Amino acid sequence: MITANSKKTVMIEAVDLCKSYSTGSEQFHAAKNVNLELYKGDFTVIMGSSGSGKSTLLYLLSGLDSLSSGKVYFKGQQIDGYSEKEITDFRSNKIGYVYQSINLIPDFSLFENVAFPGYVAGRGKNEINMRTTNLLKMMDIELQADRLPSQVSGGQQQRAAIARALINSPEVIFADEPTGALSQEQGTIILDILTEINHKAQSIVMVTHDIKAACRADRLILVKDGQIDGILELSKYSPEDMKARENQIFLFMSGKG
Amino acid sequence: MYPVWKLCWSNLKNKKVQNAFMAIIIMLSALLLSTAVLVINNTNRVYEDMHTKVNGAHQILRFENGIHDPYKVNQWWAQQEGVTTSEVMRYRYLSSMVHEGEEIPNVDLFMMDTPNMPFTVDKLLFVQGEDRQDPEPGTAWIPTSLAYSNNIQVGDQIEFKTDKQTFQLLVAGVVVDISYCSPFATSGRIWMNDQDYTTHLSTLQGNDKYMTEMRFDDYSQNRAYWGNFEKFLGTPFLESVKDFESISSYYMIANQVISFIMIFIAIVMISIALYTLGFTISDAIISSYKTIGIIKSVGLSSRKIIAGYVTQYTLIAFISVVPGILISYYFSNKIVSSSMAYLNTSSSNMNIHFSGIEIWIGFAVITVIALSALLFSYKAHSVKPAQAVRYGMSEKDSSKLSRRLDTGKSKLLQFGRLPIEFLIGLRGVRKNIRGSLLIILISALSTSVLVFGFMFIFSITSIHQTIAKWGYDSSDLSIRIDNPDKITYEQLHGEVLSDNRVKNFSLYGDANAVLPISKEHAADSDGDSMGILLTVADGNYDEIGYENVKGHNPIKDNEITIGVNVARKFNINVGDPLDIYIEGEKYTLTVTGIYQAIANMSNTGRITAEAVRKVNPKFGASLNTIFINLQDGVSVNQFVNEMHKKYGNALWTASQASLVDEVFSQAVTILILPMSLMALLFIAVTFIIIYSICRINMKKQSRTYGIYKSIGMTSQQIRLSITAEILVVSCIGAVIGIPFGLLGLPPLLNFVLMDYGIVEVPLIMNGVGIIGMILLSILIACLGSWFASRVVKSASPRILTVE
Ligand SMILES: Nc1ncnc2c1ncn2[C@@H]1O[C@H](COP(=O)(O)OP(=O)(O)OP(=O)(O)O)[C@@H](O)[C@H]1O
Ligand SMILES: [Mg+2]
C-alpha cells in the first residue's frame, strides 16, 4: 500500500472525523474516526456502496455540515472553527459544490443559477456575465439559459449545477455523483471538462459509482460503513492507459470485497 | 374512519407551531366576540334588573317655571291605570359642593326635601349607612356616583354654598339612586331632612321647584298616556321631561363603544384566521402533494383526505373556542363591574350571566372554521402524483408560476442592479403572491386599526383641543357668582371684566324649553312634546367658542341653533322656522345652525339672551356664569389663582382645562385600558400570523436557503433577504391601511356615537403618532419574519437542503 506522497502539498486534512445522525432515539454513525489527507491539484475519487457514507464525508470535508467530533483543516486552517464570516468566505471563494440531488434554485433561470454565486462573492456584473456565458457554452446549455430548472431535463440541470460550482474558479470542486443523471456520452463530456479543470490546478473531489469515471482520478478512496476502507494511488498508471487503471480499480475493489 | 383520524392526527402532530398559532387566533376572536356580547347583554341586564328592583322611573317631570301645577299633574298620573308615581318632591339647585376643603365643581345638585319612605318609584338602595325613614337633621344621603368619584364616605362632612350662607351636612348614607348616579353624569340628588331643607333652601330667593317620577307597567304605551295627558292639560306639557332613554344611555355608552370596537376587531381577526387557514391548508396540500398522491394511490379517497383536514380544524376550533368563551367571562365581568360600579350594592347581582348566545357564538365560530377548511381542502381532489413529483404543485399552478416569473422579468429584478439581499427578497414577493397578499392584508389591517386606535385615544386624551366639537365652549375660564350679596355682577364687571388682561367675555345661563311635536310628525309619536335644555348667552357665541356642524351661531334675537338629535327627531334643517316654548312662553325662531354635543345627547338648543328678552324683558337672573377669554400670552392658571385669592367663596372660578378634565377623565380611564389591551392583542396577532406565514414559506424555501448558504451567503444575508421581502410587502400593506384607518374607520365610530349626539367624532390627526403607528406595524411584520428566520442561522447547508 502506497501512503502519502511527500512531494504533494496537503490541501485538506481530516483528523478523527466523526458524524452521527440522530434517528429518533438512536444515533447513527455515518462517519467514524476518518483520518484523511487530500492533496493540492489532485483529482480524488470517493467510491463505496450506497449508504456507506460518501455524501456525508463530502459534506464534512467541504464545510457544508457540522461535525460531531474531530477536525477538518483547509490549508492548515481549521474550518470547523471558522467564524460565520470566514466559513461563508470559504464557501464562496475556495470551494464549489455539486450536489447529488442537483439543487438548483427553482425560481432562478439556469443563467441566474450559474451567475448567482458570482454576485454573492462580490464580482462585477460584466465579469460574471462573461464567465456565465462561457460556462453555459462549455456545458452545452446556452440555449436553455433563460429557462427555469423545472423546464429542462435532469441532465441539463446537472450540467447547470456543475457550471454553478465553477463560476468562482474555486480551489477545490466537490462533486457528488455529477454524472449520475447523465448519459454515457454526456458523462464523458463532463468528465473531460473536470479533467481539464483539474489540469488547470483546481483540485477535484468526486463521488462516483462508475469505475470508468473513477479512472480519471489520481487517487481513489474507498469508504465502507463510514470508515476509510482503503486508498488506491492511480497516478502511477498513465492516464492514457485506461484499461490498466480500470483493472487496478477492479482488483482493488474486489480485494476489499 | 380510522384513516381520517390517522391523517388528522399526523397533521396535528407534525405542524405543532402552526396549529398552536391558529388555535390562539381563533381563541382570541372567540374571546373578543364573546366578551363584547356578554358586556352588552349584561350591562343591559344589570341595569334592567336594578331598574326593576328599585321600581325605577321611566319618566321624570320637573316643574321649575311654575307653568303647571305639580300636584294636579301628579294626581292625574296617579289615577292612571298601569302607572306608578312618586310623591311630588320639592328641591332647589346648587351647583357646587366642598368636601375636605376641596371644591367639587361642575355638578348640578338637586337638593331634595326627602319625602317619607318607602319610595314608590326610584327606591334608594343603601350601599353605606343606615336605611331609615328619612335622613336625620344635619345629615344627607348622597348618590354613589358623587361619593365614589370624589371619595366621600359615610361620616364625612360636606359643605354647600347658597346665595346667603354656607352650611354643612354629615353624609349618613351612600345610595344607589338609579336615575341620578350614572357614569359621566354631572348631576346628583342630595337627599336632605325636611327641616334642613326648610331652613337652608326654602328661604332662598325664588320658588321651590318640584319633581315627580312615573313608572309605567308597559313603557311602550307611554305615548298613549301622553296623548290623554295633554288633552287634560289643554296645552303641551311645557316643563322638562327626562325619559328612560336618556336616563339609561349613560350607563351604556362606554360599554357600547368598547363592545363595538371589540366586535369589529373580532370580525377582522376571524377573517384573518380564515384567510390564514386557507393559506395553511392549500400550502399543506401543495407541500404534501407527493404524500397525498401516495395516499391516494394506496386507495384512500380524496373525500377522506378532506375529512381529515376538516376534522383537524374543527378540533382546533373547538379546543380554542371553549377557553376563549370561558376567559371572556372574566373579562366581561371586569368591564361590567367597573362600568356599573355605581349600581353595585352588596345584594345586587353583578355577576355575568351565562346565556345561550354564548353557545351560539362558539358554535358559529366552529362552523365557520369547519366550512372554510372544507372549502380550502377541496383542492386535494385534483392532486396528480406525477405532476406533484416534478413540480411540487399541479401542472396548472406550475405553468402559472413560470408565466408570472417570466412576465415579471422587470429590469429592476435583474441581477446586479440591487444588493442581492433585496433582489432575492423582491423576487420572493413576486413568486409568493398568495403569502404576500395575506401579509399585505394583515399589515393593512393592523396599520389601520393601530392608526385609528391611536387617533381615537389621542383625541380623547387631548380633548382640550377639540372641546368645541364635543359641544362645549372653548373659552379660557368661567366665573360664576355664587354669592351676589358679597359681589354683584356690576362689581365683578368693574373689578374683573374690565381688567385689560380680559380679551372678551359673555354671560351664560340655561333655560328649559319645550318643543311641541307638530302635526306632520305626530303620526309616529301620538302628539307629544319634547323638553330640551337651552343655553342662553348674553354676548357672542363665536367668542365663547361654540361650533356648529352646519350653519352659524345665533346672533339676532330670532335665531336659534339646535343639537343634531333635535334636528333629526324633528327633521329640521338650517333656515327652517321653529316653534318653541321657553319658560312657558311661545317663540317662533329661525334655525341658523345645527351642532353636536355629547352633553344631553345633543337634545339641546342655543339662543341669545335678547331672544328671550323679547318676550320676557326681565330675563337675566339665571345668567350667572361668565365665560372669559384672556389676551394671548396671559396665563390662565395664574388668573384663576388670583381670583381664588381675591374673592374666595363669593366667586366660583375654574379654567376650562380643569373642567374638561373633570368631565373626561372618567371616559379616559374607562376607555384606555380595554383599548390598549386590544391594540396589544392586535399587535400580538399580527406578529403571530406573519411569523407563521414566514415559517410556512421558509419550510418551502429551505432547500433554496441551503443552496444560498453553500455558495457562501451568510445567514445574516439570507435573513435580511427574507425580512426585506416582508418589509416591502408590509409597507405596501401600510400604504393601503393608512387611508382606511384615517378615513374608513371613523364613520363606524360616528355611527356608534350618533345616538349620543355626536355625528362627527372630532379626531385629531397627530402626524408623529400616526407615523409611529405605521412604523410600529411595519416593525411588527419585520420582527415576525426576522424571528421566523432564526432557523437559517443555526442549520447547516446539508440540513437545509436535505430536509
Ligand atoms: N439525516 C440522516 N439521518 C439519519 N441517517 C442518515 C441521514 N443522512 C444519511 N443517513 C445515513 O447515513 C448513511 C450514510 O449516508 P450517505 O448519504 O452519506 O450515503 P452515501 O454513501 O452517499 O449513499 P448513496 O450512494 O446512496 O448516495 C446512510 O446509511 C444513511 O442512511
Ligand atoms: Mg450520496
Side-chain angles (χ1 to χ4, degrees):
Chain A
M1 178 80 358
I2 300 154
T3 49
N5 184 334
S6 56
K7 271 177 273 172
K8 291 186 176 177
T9 18
V10 176
M11 182 102 172
I12 294 171
E13 185 185 2
V15 180
D16 291 335
L17 208 54
C18 292
K19 176 73 186 179
S20 49
Y21 297 116
S22 59
T23 50
S25 55
E26 278 170 44
Q27 296 279 312
F28 181 87
H29 300 281
K32 303 170 205 160
N33 294 312
V34 175
N35 285 289
L36 185 67
E37 287 178 342
L38 300 176
Y39 304 106
K40 190 166 161 49
D42 259 13
F43 193 138
T44 310
V45 153
I46 300 175
M47 293 190 81
S49 54
S50 180
S52 56
K54 303 181 295 296
S55 299
T56 304
L57 187 58
L58 212 58
Y59 282 134
L60 298 179
L61 295 176
S62 62
L64 290 197
D65 201 3
S66 54
L67 321 173
S68 299
S69 69
K71 293 183 179 89
V72 178
Y73 296 93
F74 177 79
K75 291 176 157 180
Q77 283 185 311
Q78 193 183 334
I79 61 172
D80 50 301
Y82 272 170
S83 69
E84 161 116 13
K85 193 180 163 345
E86 288 165 328
I87 190 79
T88 49
D89 186 55
F90 170 75
R91 286 172 188 156
S92 149
N93 294 309
K94 302 290 190 302
I95 65 155
Y97 198 99
V98 182
Y99 285 94
Q100 182 171 11
S101 46
I102 302 173
N103 283 341
L104 292 173
I105 294 166
D107 29 318
F108 285 3
S109 66
L110 295 193
F111 187 95
E112 288 169 338
N113 263 289
V114 175
F116 189 58
Y119 287 101
V120 175
R123 291 177 192 281
K125 192 176 174 183
N126 292 340
E127 183 193 354
I128 295 171
N129 283 348
M130 208 177 68
R131 278 170 181 254
T132 309
T133 316
N134 286 341
L135 281 170
L136 291 174
K137 224 176 255 161
M138 189 158 91
M139 295 294 164
D140 194 23
I141 46 175
E142 74 263 45
L143 290 178
Q144 287 78 26
D146 287 333
R147 298 223 202 134
L148 295 176
S150 63
Q151 296 166 326
V152 303
S153 77
Q156 288 162 337
Q157 290 180 26
Q158 190 142 45
R159 278 177 277 160
I162 296 169
R164 179 178 65 188
L166 298 178
I167 183 88
N168 286 329
S169 316
E171 293 180 39
V172 198
I173 291 146
F174 294 93
D176 198 345
E177 297 193 38
T179 56
L182 303 181
S183 70
Q184 186 76 40
E185 309 124 61
Q186 281 178 329
T188 313
I189 295 170
I190 294 300
L191 289 172
D192 287 344
I193 292 171
L194 288 178
T195 312
E196 194 188 318
I197 291 167
N198 180 233
H199 289 156
K200 289 184 198 153
Q202 280 172 282
S203 316
I204 289 171
V205 185
M206 178 176 86
V207 172
T208 184
H209 281 295
D210 179 12
I211 292 186
K212 280 217 162 54
C215 289
R216 308 278 179 148
D218 300 312
R219 278 170 95 215
L220 187 155
I221 294 163
L222 191 62
V223 177
K224 189 181 175 188
D225 296 335
Q227 287 172 310
I228 307 286
D229 197 28
I231 297 178
L232 175 66
E233 286 294 336
L234 286 166
S235 48
K236 51 186 179 177
Y237 308 100
S238 152
E240 271 71 55
D241 192 357
M242 281 298 185
K243 210 68 215 152
R245 286 194 167 199
E246 245 186 272
N247 283 335
Q248 281 303 318
I249 295 171
F250 193 73
L251 276 175
F252 176 71
M253 305 274 281
S254 48
K256 295 289 172 190
Chain B
M1 207 49 204
Y2 176 76
V4 174
W5 277 113
K6 181 83 192 138
L7 204 68
C8 160
W9 182 242
S10 84
N11 285 343
L12 281 175
K13 220 174 56 184
N14 292 334
K15 294 198 168 146
K16 288 197 200 79
V17 180
Q18 271 171 42
N19 288 326
F21 281 164
M22 185 59 81
I24 290 174
I25 296 169
I26 296 174
M27 192 197 78
L28 289 178
S29 10
L31 170 68
L32 286 178
L33 214 53
S34 155
T35 306
V37 172
L38 280 176
V39 165
I40 293 187
N41 267 351
N42 285 281
T43 308
N44 281 326
R45 185 193 55 77
V46 167
Y47 176 75
E48 272 159 20
D49 280 2
M50 185 54 90
H51 197 258
T52 312
K53 184 172 170 185
V54 300
N55 230 21
H58 287 119
Q59 282 171 341
I60 300 176
L61 306 182
R62 296 205 318 255
F63 303 81
E64 301 187 337
N65 301 303
I67 299 164
H68 305 290
D69 180 344
Y71 290 95
K72 272 195 189 140
V73 168
N74 179 263
Q75 205 176 13
W76 186 90
W77 282 103
Q79 282 163 358
Q80 305 307 308
E81 196 71 24
V83 182
T84 318
T85 54
S86 71
E87 287 187 37
V88 175
M89 298 176 282
R90 287 199 293 168
Y91 68 93
R92 289 294 185 108
Y93 276 121
L94 285 181
S95 54
S96 85
M97 143 178 159
V98 176
H99 172 241
E100 288 177 349
E102 225 172 286
E103 164 138 23
I104 302 161
N106 217 29
V107 280
D108 282 325
L109 300 176
F110 295 90
M111 308 301 291
M112 307 298 294
D113 177 4
T114 313
N116 278 336
M117 293 287 229
F119 289 1
T120 43
V121 178
D122 269 1
K123 294 178 189 157
L124 303 179
L125 290 180
F126 279 78
V127 181
Q128 285 178 36
E130 192 195 348
D131 189 351
R132 295 168 39 93
Q133 272 286 313
D134 57 356
E136 272 186 282
T139 69
W141 302 334
I142 63 170
T144 47
S145 52
L146 261 179
Y148 296 168
S149 58
N150 298 294
N151 210 5
I152 303 173
Q153 313 276 338
V154 163
D156 288 3
Q157 202 164 57
I158 43 180
E159 189 181 274
F160 299 92
K161 277 186 288 186
T162 65
D163 302 356
K164 295 212 169 75
Q165 38 137 285
T166 62
F167 65 94
Q168 284 91 21
L169 294 173
L170 207 63
V171 177
V174 172
V175 293
V176 170
D177 179 2
I178 194 163
S179 298
Y180 285 92
C181 66
S182 60
F184 310 119
T186 52
S187 58
R189 296 195 283 200
I190 308 289
W191 299 93
M192 303 170 64
N193 180 278
D194 177 60
Q195 207 179 307
D196 290 332
Y197 181 87
T198 313
T199 39
H200 297 305
L201 297 161
S202 279
T203 51
L204 298 179
Q205 247 183 1
N207 297 320
D208 281 338
K209 302 171 192 297
Y210 298 90
M211 189 186 285
T212 186
E213 300 173 303
M214 284 112 70
R215 180 181 170 84
F216 297 85
D217 290 352
D218 180 358
Y219 178 52
S220 63
Q221 292 302 310
N222 85 86
R223 296 287 183 202
Y225 286 107
W226 273 84
N228 293 332
F229 175 53
E230 293 189 338
K231 257 181 234 145
F232 160 76
L233 281 182
T235 61
F237 182 68
L238 297 172
E239 300 261 16
S240 79
V241 185
K242 180 170 171 174
D243 59 14
F244 182 69
E245 288 77 15
S246 69
I247 295 170
S248 59
S249 72
Y250 283 101
Y251 288 100
M252 313 293 171
I253 181 165
N255 289 348
Q256 240 166 35
V257 172
I258 293 171
S259 303
F260 162 78
I261 293 172
M262 280 187 184
I263 290 177
F264 175 77
I265 291 184
I267 289 173
V268 168
M269 274 194 196
I270 289 180
S271 332
I272 293 176
L274 289 184
Y275 198 102
T276 314
L277 176 136
F279 182 81
T280 316
I281 292 182
S282 43
D283 180 79
I285 289 175
I286 288 167
S287 62
S288 54
Y289 232 62
K290 213 163 164 183
T291 325
I292 293 175
I294 295 163
I295 293 174
K296 269 180 147 177
S297 67
V298 298
L300 192 61
S301 70
S302 317
R303 195 177 307 169
K304 288 209 172 113
I305 296 172
I306 294 170
Y309 283 116
V310 175
T311 316
Q312 177 195 350
Y313 284 102
T314 311
L315 259 176
I316 292 178
F318 186 77
I319 291 170
S320 6
V321 162
V322 171
I325 289 180
L326 291 181
I327 297 171
S328 75
Y329 279 83
Y330 173 78
F331 278 113
S332 45
N333 212 347
K334 277 247 161 317
I335 295 175
V336 170
S337 59
S338 84
S339 61
M340 290 280 157
Y342 296 154
L343 291 187
N344 196 2
T345 65
S346 53
S347 63
S348 65
N349 178 7
M350 302 288 280
N351 283 336
I352 294 297
H353 280 199
F354 184 79
S355 71
I357 295 181
E358 294 307 293
I359 298 175
W360 279 111
I361 289 176
F363 191 68
V365 171
I366 296 172
T367 312
V368 166
I369 301 281
L371 282 179
S372 333
L374 181 67
L375 183 78
F376 291 118
S377 58
Y378 207 72
K379 237 188 175 169
H381 258 305
S382 55
V383 173
K384 304 271 185 312
Q387 296 175 4
V389 175
R390 190 175 172 96
Y391 306 110
M393 56 183 90
S394 72
E395 186 150 19
K396 214 173 79 198
D397 288 345
S398 162
S399 63
K400 248 202 298 200
L401 177 64
S402 48
R403 227 177 304 136
R404 191 160 68 222
L405 295 184
D406 219 43
T407 52
K409 251 186 210 149
S410 74
K411 277 253 161 64
L412 182 71
L413 294 185
Q414 272 171 17
F415 280 167
R417 293 203 165 250
L418 289 172
I420 44 173
E421 297 89 347
F422 265 99
L423 189 98
I424 301 176
L426 285 178
R427 287 189 168 205
V429 177
R430 187 184 60 181
K431 180 182 180 200
N432 183 18
I433 293 279
R434 264 176 72 89
S436 301
L437 276 180
L438 179 50
I439 293 176
I440 288 178
L441 180 81
I442 289 164
S443 44
L445 281 173
S446 78
T447 308
S448 61
V449 169
L450 287 179
V451 163
F452 174 69
F454 172 81
M455 199 161 62
F456 181 60
I457 293 287
F458 185 82
S459 307
I460 297 284
T461 48
S462 12
I463 203 152
H464 302 269
Q465 294 175 36
T466 52
I467 196 67
K469 295 200 165 57
W470 291 90
Y472 295 91
D473 68 278
S474 52
S475 57
D476 289 338
L477 67 143
S478 39
I479 293 181
R480 196 183 54 229
I481 301 175
D482 274 348
N483 196 339
D485 288 348
K486 291 212 180 114
I487 179 166
T488 59
Y489 175 72
E490 284 66 35
Q491 268 173 291
L492 182 73
H493 191 270
E495 293 172 23
V496 180
L497 302 178
S498 47
D499 189 312
N500 56 13
R501 284 175 296 173
V502 172
K503 191 161 146 193
N504 56 50
F505 67 90
S506 299
L507 267 71
Y508 163 98
D510 42 39
N512 285 305
V514 171
L515 288 174
I517 292 178
S518 62
K519 294 288 168 291
E520 65 223 70
H521 297 108
D524 49 310
S525 48
D526 266 353
D528 195 353
S529 65
M530 179 184 153
I532 65 170
L533 190 70
L534 279 187
T535 297
V536 185
D538 194 351
N540 186 322
Y541 271 104
D542 292 337
E543 281 176 7
I544 300 175
Y546 280 117
E547 288 188 14
N548 296 292
V549 181
K550 248 201 262 177
H552 63 83
N553 281 322
I555 301 165
K556 296 196 209 114
D557 62 6
N558 64 342
E559 293 182 341
I560 184 170
T561 55
I562 52 173
V564 286
N565 274 343
V566 177
R568 200 172 51 193
K569 267 176 217 151
F570 290 85
N571 195 19
I572 305 172
N573 221 319
V574 172
D576 290 354
L578 183 68
D579 284 342
I580 186 167
Y581 292 84
I582 303 170
E583 317 219 309
E585 309 284 350
K586 187 176 174 180
Y587 296 71
T588 300
L589 305 170
T590 307
V591 176
T592 60
I594 294 170
Y595 62 86
Q596 57 177 14
I598 188 96
N600 294 305
M601 302 189 293
S602 282
N603 287 317
T604 53
R606 294 169 185 160
I607 56 168
T608 59
E610 291 83 62
V612 186
R613 288 201 190 105
K614 230 175 21 176
V615 177
N616 179 2
K618 285 191 306 222
F619 180 83
S622 70
L623 297 173
N624 62 346
T625 306
I626 301 133
F627 288 126
I628 297 177
N629 283 307
L630 299 178
Q631 298 287 1
D632 295 344
V634 177
S635 156
V636 177
N637 284 337
Q638 200 184 322
F639 194 88
V640 170
N641 286 338
E642 237 172 74
M643 300 293 290
H644 282 317
K645 260 196 219 117
K646 196 160 165 198
Y647 297 100
N649 274 351
L651 280 190
W652 171 90
T653 315
S655 70
Q656 171 68 7
S658 66
L659 293 179
V660 170
D661 282 344
E662 191 80 27
V663 176
F664 283 92
S665 60
Q666 268 190 67
V668 172
T669 42
I670 290 184
L671 287 174
I672 277 197
L673 186 72
M675 292 286 288
S676 328
L677 266 178
M678 279 186 276
L680 270 182
L681 272 188
F682 218 82
I683 289 174
V685 167
T686 309
F687 179 85
I688 286 175
I689 291 178
I690 290 183
Y691 179 89
S692 58
I693 295 170
C694 290
R695 282 293 294 268
I696 293 174
N697 222 357
M698 290 187 43
K699 274 241 169 69
K700 273 195 287 190
Q701 297 284 327
S702 106
R703 176 179 292 252
T704 306
Y705 299 144
I707 301 167
Y708 289 158
K709 245 187 159 175
S710 70
I711 59 173
M713 275 180 85
T714 61
S715 30
Q716 195 89 352
Q717 277 178 308
I718 298 171
R719 291 178 76 187
L720 265 179
S721 78
I722 296 168
T723 308
E725 175 177 345
I726 302 303
L727 177 72
V728 170
V729 171
S730 60
C731 284
I732 297 174
V735 167
I736 295 171
I738 296 164
F740 189 63
L742 293 182
L743 307 172
L745 294 180
L748 292 176
L749 189 63
N750 295 343
F751 178 74
V752 181
L753 286 178
M754 195 162 74
D755 281 345
Y756 296 98
I758 296 293
V759 290
E760 230 172 78
V761 178
L763 294 173
I764 304 172
M765 304 230 184
N766 174 279
V768 177
I770 289 173
I771 290 172
M773 289 299 127
I774 294 166
L775 292 181
L776 178 65
S777 83
I778 294 173
L779 183 74
I780 296 161
C782 291
L783 278 183
S785 66
W786 184 257
F787 273 97
S789 65
R790 255 181 330 184
V791 275
V792 173
K793 200 167 150 191
S794 50
S796 71
R798 180 193 59 84
I799 291 177
L800 290 170
T801 47
V802 173
E803 281 158 18

